[in-house]
Amino acid sequence: MKVSLPLCFALINQDAAFSGTIIGLGKYPAVTLPPSILDQAQHHAGSLQSSGQRMLVLRTGSATEGRSVAMAIADKLNTRPVFIETEALTGLGPWLQVRQLTPVFCLDLAPGERYRLSPIPFYDGPILALCGPDGSIEAPGITALNWRLSVPPKTERETLWQQALGDADLAKKLAHCHRHGSGRIAQLGNLAHHYAQLHAHSSPSEEDVAVAAWAGEGVGLDALAQPLTERIEEPALVLPSR
């Protein structure tokens, strides 16, 4: 009989992750989630727990926000999330049950791509999948629900901006003028503090936030875009004379 090392550790009540899996957030920072997102997370967790095996697909452009939402759902299920970035699922089922873990498949799908999720042997609990807005996911015999994480309302965005920047007036202005999700606000807040230090500002300014928005990490086609350092003058349009 051959027993995997993570399962051996699980039998003595200790954590050891399979290759390609991470228990908890790992290197990803926790994102402050607004009440509206937490309330929906609680409802989805109740739906997953009260019915047969189901899969919830979290769709968001922010990996940090998506992982924090998965963390919140797993907490409502009285489990911990394990983020899976591998297709090797042998021995995973018993390990999930012994360590009370909820699997979260992290996928990066292209537009129009269809991904077929393989079943986890000896596991019949809730499944989460984390991906962007593109592609589709199907799993044999499992009902898949999609939750596209929405932008919080203005009042919640103002609270998130204030927590990220520490400036109530600037937070109110940014919440009114920009519609960003929780993950994007947290990212811009961290970068704005960095640029504020570079510019010798006592606290982040609106200019620091603008610079942070240009320098922020892009995904997909956005990663190919670069800001213009100089203004390009368009040639004047000369109309033909008559």
Side-chain angles (χ1 to χ4, degrees), residues 59-60 84-85 105-111 113 115 129-137 219-220:
R59 295 190 175 273
T60 175
I84 302 172
E85 298 178 347
F105 290 90
C106 302
L107 306 173
D108 185 14
L109 304 181
E113 181 179 359
Y115 184 86
L130 179 59
C131 67
D134 299 317
S136 60
I137 305 172
V219 294

Side-chain angles (χ1 to χ4, degrees), residues 2-235:
K2 181 180 179 181
V3 180
S4 63
L5 188 60
L7 188 53
C8 289
F9 274 96
L11 294 174
I12 59 174
N13 199 30
Q14 293 187 25
D15 282 333
F18 281 84
S19 177
T21 69
I22 301 175
I23 300 175
L25 294 178
K27 64 180 181 180
Y28 289 86
V31 172
T32 301
L33 300 174
S36 60
I37 296 293
L38 290 175
D39 184 60
Q40 293 182 65
Q42 183 172 3
H43 288 344
H44 280 294
S47 176
L48 291 170
Q49 200 169 31
S50 63
S51 59
Q53 188 177 26
R54 282 190 177 182
M55 177 174 65
L56 177 63
V57 181
L58 302 173
R59 295 190 175 273
T60 175
S62 171
T64 53
E65 181 182 16
R67 289 179 181 246
S68 293
V69 172
M71 194 91 175
I73 294 175
D75 183 65
K76 298 299 182 182
L77 294 171
N78 295 318
T79 64
R80 296 176 297 160
V82 54
F83 297 94
I84 302 172
E85 298 178 347
T86 178
E87 295 185 357
L89 306 179
T90 303
L92 204 63
W95 177 64
L96 295 174
Q97 298 190 52
V98 173
R99 297 306 294 151
Q100 295 184 326
L101 301 170
T102 295
V104 185
F105 290 90
C106 302
L107 306 173
D108 185 14
L109 304 181
E113 181 179 359
R114 298 181 63 183
Y115 184 86
R116 186 178 178 88
L117 193 65
S118 301
I120 304 175
F122 306 107
Y123 177 79
D124 59 357
I127 296 175
L128 302 179
L130 179 59
C131 67
D134 299 317
S136 60
I137 305 172
E138 58 183 27
I142 300 178
T143 303
L145 304 174
N146 282 271
W147 177 18
R148 191 178 300 271
L149 300 184
S150 59
V151 174
K154 186 174 69 173
T155 54
E156 292 184 346
R157 295 200 306 272
E158 183 177 342
T159 301
L160 293 173
W161 276 118
Q162 185 169 354
Q163 292 176 351
L165 300 175
D167 187 328
D169 293 334
L170 180 57
K172 185 175 183 179
K173 181 177 181 180
L174 292 173
H176 177 75
C177 298
H178 303 280
R179 298 183 73 255
H180 289 309
S182 309
R184 181 62 170 163
I185 291 175
Q187 181 195 35
L188 291 178
N190 288 331
L191 289 173
H193 279 285
H194 173 74
Y195 285 106
Q197 292 181 351
L198 289 179
H199 300 151
H201 297 162
S202 58
S203 61
S205 64
E206 187 174 1
E207 180 184 1
D208 295 321
V209 177
V211 175
W214 275 113
E217 180 182 1
V219 294
L221 293 177
D222 291 342
L224 302 178
Q226 297 293 330
L228 295 175
T229 56
E230 298 180 359
R231 182 178 177 181
I232 300 177
E233 297 292 342
E234 294 290 343

